[in-house]
Amino acid sequence: MPVVIDDAWLEDLLHDRTGMLTDAGAAQELAVTLAAHRVALDPGELVSRALGDALDEVWERGWQPADVAHAARKDATAGSVPLVVALIGEHARRTDAVRRAPDVWVDQLRELGAPTSGDSAVVAAWSRTGRRSPAEAWRIVLQLVGMLRTAARIDVLVPPPSRWGAARPASSGGAHGTGDDRALRRIRGLLAKAESTEFADEAEALTAKAQELMTRHAVDAALLDPGRPSGGDVGTRRVHVADPYVRAKMQLLAAVAEANDVRLVWYQRLGIANLVGGRADLDAVELMFTSLLLQVAQALSMAERQVGRGGSSSRTFRRAFLLGYAHRIGERLQSARQRATSEAASERGVDLLPVLRSRREAVESV
């Protein structure tokens, strides 16, 4: 008996939670079928409402706007990112997020360029702006539906929309202190030099010097306020790690985090990490990780030119190179940390181990 493709059938498809739509082949086959039957892309805003409902569910599972955009790019298709941004913008308009959402949420809206005004028929409006065939548009929509409907539950770092009040709460972090800003400027300057040099040894030496500054700043903060992480109360932050070679890049992030008493929780399949630590420590870790990604890309490019690799052997070489780099940098950062700690202890004539241990315990208790 042939399937009757009507609104009821389409609504059932858009609420599928079996994971069928996460399969690219299945989504493509269904998209071709819908296009062949000339099914309108957003009849009566049915698809826009279904995607909006799925997005509401995702917020309750701990996701934030930047997480959804990252996952869309990784697990759905790059073509779905403009649609995701439009959906997030429509949600922001509908919920008055600019006034009501936490600061970090509003910052992410701005970074994504999510509009807060527009057509509620998001899917139809998105379709009009692109030159896609009906089958291609349906494929993108169906894969995005599959991704949202099956999104895993992750840690809730900021209140979801259901917990927002009538007005946006005041920032709990406060402005960065002058000492934090000064230290970050010096660290940023060293890392900029590391990124600009063509010599790998020089880049690693500059990075190690940046780590020493990070450690000295943390020690100063710990002595001023024992038991409290540097830069204020313990906070959390999300970092997104893009393909390819996510595992190797995450090892690099873990090495930086470990050298700075920042705890890392890794959602491997999602390419998402949660960082837990003092505010200044989180800033420094994120800054160094971003710099190291640039540095390793330059080092890898130079190494590939020297060995002349290509094809599948090149992918194997790159993965091994990145893992080796993460291990080597991790050792250099730990050495820099130990050196800076020893020098600080000698200068001040105090035993820093109890102070630093108390600081780590404050992070681990979160």
Side-chain angles (χ1 to χ4, degrees):
M1 183 176 178
V3 174
V4 177
I5 299 180
D6 55 14
D7 285 358
W9 180 89
L10 184 57
E11 189 160 2
D12 285 343
L13 177 65
L14 295 172
H15 285 78
D16 179 80
R17 299 177 189 277
T18 66
M20 172 183 65
L21 297 179
T22 61
D23 181 274
Q28 176 66 32
E29 185 176 343
L30 282 165
V32 169
T33 300
L34 289 165
H37 284 76
R38 299 182 182 277
V39 178
L41 186 60
D42 198 13
E45 301 184 17
L46 175 63
V47 180
S48 292
R49 287 197 303 273
L51 282 169
D53 290 344
L55 198 60
D56 286 338
E57 295 173 2
V58 164
W59 303 143
E60 297 303 313
R61 297 189 202 122
W63 292 65
Q64 300 170 32
D67 301 328
V68 176
H70 168 77
R73 187 177 293 107
K74 180 179 184 298
D75 293 336
T77 170
S80 69
V81 175
L83 176 54
V84 161
V85 171
L87 287 164
I88 291 171
E90 169 59 18
H91 174 271
R93 183 198 66 76
R94 177 165 48 88
T95 58
D96 196 14
V98 172
R99 283 199 325 112
R100 299 177 57 228
D103 291 337
V104 64
W105 195 286
V106 177
D107 289 343
Q108 290 178 27
L109 293 177
R110 294 194 182 109
E111 289 169 6
L112 290 172
T116 56
S117 62
D119 194 337
S120 61
V122 179
V123 175
W126 162 78
S127 179
R128 288 193 298 270
T129 62
R131 297 181 177 179
R132 304 177 186 86
S133 67
E136 175 67 5
W138 269 117
R139 182 188 66 80
I140 291 173
V141 165
L142 293 178
Q143 285 190 259
L144 181 57
V145 168
M147 185 210 83
L148 293 174
R149 293 293 185 193
T150 60
R153 187 175 297 278
I154 58 180
D155 289 338
V156 178
L157 301 189
V158 298
S162 63
R163 301 183 200 170
W164 295 348
R168 182 157 56 99
S171 173
S172 59
H176 284 219
T178 303
D180 292 346
D181 287 342
R182 187 182 303 116
L184 283 175
R185 282 196 299 271
R186 294 178 65 193
I187 292 165
R188 189 176 287 110
L190 285 167
L191 293 176
K193 291 180 182 178
E195 293 160 19
S196 63
T197 182
E198 296 179 358
F199 303 101
D201 288 344
E202 183 183 6
E204 292 186 17
L206 288 164
T207 300
K209 182 63 177 176
Q211 178 60 57
E212 289 182 24
L213 284 178
M214 290 162 68
T215 301
R216 292 298 291 259
H217 178 62
V219 167
D220 290 343
L223 289 173
L224 285 173
D225 192 355
R228 193 181 190 193
S230 65
D233 295 329
V234 175
T236 55
R237 189 168 303 176
R238 284 248 165 84
V239 174
H240 304 118
V241 181
D243 290 324
Y245 315 116
V246 171
R247 181 183 293 273
K249 292 175 183 176
M250 199 67 78
Q251 292 292 338
L252 182 59
L253 176 59
V256 179
E258 184 178 0
N260 292 280
D261 287 331
V262 169
R263 183 159 57 91
L264 180 147
V265 178
W266 177 21
Y267 297 102
Q268 179 177 341
R269 191 189 69 77
L270 300 175
I272 291 175
N274 287 351
L275 299 180
V276 184
R279 186 187 65 244
D281 298 328
L282 294 175
D283 289 342
V285 166
E286 195 167 12
L287 179 63
M288 178 168 281
F289 176 60
T290 301
S291 176
L292 286 173
L293 288 179
L294 293 174
Q295 293 180 47
V296 72
Q298 294 172 353
L300 177 56
S301 178
M302 184 175 298
E304 285 191 304
R305 286 197 300 270
Q306 291 173 349
V307 300
R309 291 187 177 271
S312 61
S313 62
S314 180
R315 288 192 291 273
T316 302
F317 176 78
R318 290 169 186 166
R319 186 178 297 107
F321 186 94
L322 289 168
L323 286 169
Y325 182 86
H327 178 73
R328 185 172 71 255
I329 286 296
E331 290 183 336
R332 293 205 66 158
L333 296 183
Q334 288 292 350
S335 295
R337 169 196 169 100
Q338 292 166 8
R339 183 165 55 252
T341 303
S342 297
E343 290 175 358
S346 177
E347 290 172 6
R348 291 165 174 76
V350 297
D351 181 5
L352 291 174
L353 290 179
V355 177
L356 296 178
R357 187 183 305 116
S358 177
R359 184 169 165 267
R360 283 193 295 272
E361 289 172 353
V363 172
E364 292 296 332
S365 67
V366 174

